Amino acid sequence: MIYLDSAATSFQKPPVVAAAMQDAMRRMSSPGRGAYSSAMRAADTVLDCRENLADFFHVPDAGQIVFTGNATHALNIAIRSLLKEGDKVVISGYEHNAVTRPLHALGARIHVARAPLFSPEAQVEAFRQALPGARAAVCCHVSNVFGYILPLEEIAALCRSASVPLIVDASQSAGILSLDFERLGADFLAAPGHKGLLGPQGTGILLCRDSALPLIYGGTGTESRRKEMPDFLPERLEAGTQNVPGIAGLLAAVRWLQRQGTQHIRRHEEMLMQQFCADMAENRQVDLFTCRGNKCQSGLVSLQVRGLDGETVARRLGERGIAVRAGLHCAPLAHENAGTLEQGTVRFSFSPFNTQKEIRRATAILTDLAR
Amino acid sequence: MFYLLLCRSLTYAQRSARFLERKGMTAIVIKAPPAAAANGCAYALRIAARHYPYALELLQNSGLSPMRVFALENGELREVSP
């Protein structure tokens, strides 16, 4: 199988990830419950992961790194910490349901800062117009549908000027694009452990500037007589038993990424995406959604095949060993903004482990399908 | 004789221990004795008496101040003022 659905989850991972998880399952129990050797090994691994992530994302204090089950969990914490019913929130037109659904459930007044696809300047201007009166803003760094890299630093600067707290959804950029949490000045940054960070499913992180409101209440291992959750991070947001094998795997993955360097990974995925686009550019049956010069696009591209619905394309590709995703990608807002809501798209997303040979094979099969 | 520095969470105990070890002092993370943990279940750092004054100063200057401090001598626990 040629796996081109890394935007959903990373499939190929560094071998150290599985090894670390196995080691954790053999030698680690639960941190924060006892002080015997297997509990302390678990505790040390969890802290090591926090410290590595703090270094990776330029977070001043490892205590600001909170472990969650996934990015959706992290986003829910951030959203519910900043907003209540009726509050105005500004979002980009490319947000995932992990952002729009919690906002809708909360009863927030959602203001979409609409801008055309791959138009960073228009996107910044749309945020500038929309921010007055907002209680918070939420913005994805990279669209999970189109790979569009939004102008996050400019948007963050606008939010700081307007004193509007910003939540960043880094689901498609963490581990791939450089992210400096301290310099960005965002209040929260959410990311899954299992996509660009190459860790296991069941892991996610929330980077917090200050404290936040707990989403889940329960045991934290200390001060058990208190009825309230601790009032300090990270324990305030981490009730219940940690996913220690997951965190051990995530630690191994982050260490691997630190050795590789995000710039190297970005260059590799950019090269694969450029090759894919070049192979398909002349095919009149295929409509590619790409940024001119690929300057504001990550290693992810969506397309439509004329005369064939996306699910059929994905199914036929799957029968021939090419794994992709079709449909709305849990981001109907992005499709609405780009004009693809009716049909959806077929999405091809790349990883550090894909090769040029795989891309050539995939585009050859796609070309054959699209005749 | 040892000192027990009560920490507000395991994470803080670990971070404090690592910080002190980088400064050349051994600090062992332990479950705090019930007599020291008024709110139930706590972690503490056990450090040798000779290290206590300097360790406390370093921790206080680094935002890792212990919540409470106890002297542990001959099996007896006595709270001291940090």
Side-chain angles (χ1 to χ4, degrees), chain A residues 56-68:
Chain A
F56 192 78
F57 289 106
H58 305 277
V59 179
D61 183 337
Q64 293 171 264
I65 307 283
V66 172
F67 290 116
T68 62

Side-chain angles (χ1 to χ4, degrees), chain A residues 206-227:
Chain A
L206 180 65
L207 281 50
C208 305
R209 174 159 304 281
D210 296 308
S211 191
L213 292 176
L215 190 67
I216 298 172
Y217 293 74
T220 56
T222 54
E223 302 213 316
S224 302
R225 287 207 183 97
R226 289 186 60 178
K227 291 185 169 43

Side-chain angles (χ1 to χ4, degrees), chain A residues 350-367:
Chain A
F350 313 118
S351 89
F353 297 97
N354 289 127
T355 63
Q356 284 184 283
K357 186 177 172 184
E358 287 182 329
I359 302 304
R360 279 196 292 272
R361 173 88 182 129
T363 53
I365 291 173
L366 180 60
T367 300

Side-chain angles (χ1 to χ4, degrees), chain A residues 125-141:
Chain A
E125 186 53 32
F127 265 88
R128 190 194 315 278
Q129 301 278 347
L131 281 176
R135 290 284 293 180
V138 188
C139 187
C140 59
H141 191 183

Side-chain angles (χ1 to χ4, degrees), chain A residues 31-35 40 43-44 47-48 51 61 63 221-226 232-233 235, chain B residues 7-12 14-15 18 22 29-31 34 37-43 67:
Chain A
R33 303 303 186 262
M40 293 314 295
D44 283 338
L47 182 58
D48 285 345
E51 289 183 341
D61 183 337
T222 54
E223 302 213 316
S224 302
R225 287 207 183 97
R226 289 186 60 178
F232 49 85
L233 293 177
E235 283 81 0
Chain B
C7 300
R8 58 183 186 177
S9 72
L10 171 60
T11 305
Y12 273 82
Q14 286 175 284
R15 292 174 65 196
R18 290 184 181 192
R22 284 196 293 272
V29 176
I30 62 168
K31 284 296 288 278
N39 285 321
C41 305
Y43 285 85
M67 292 199 308

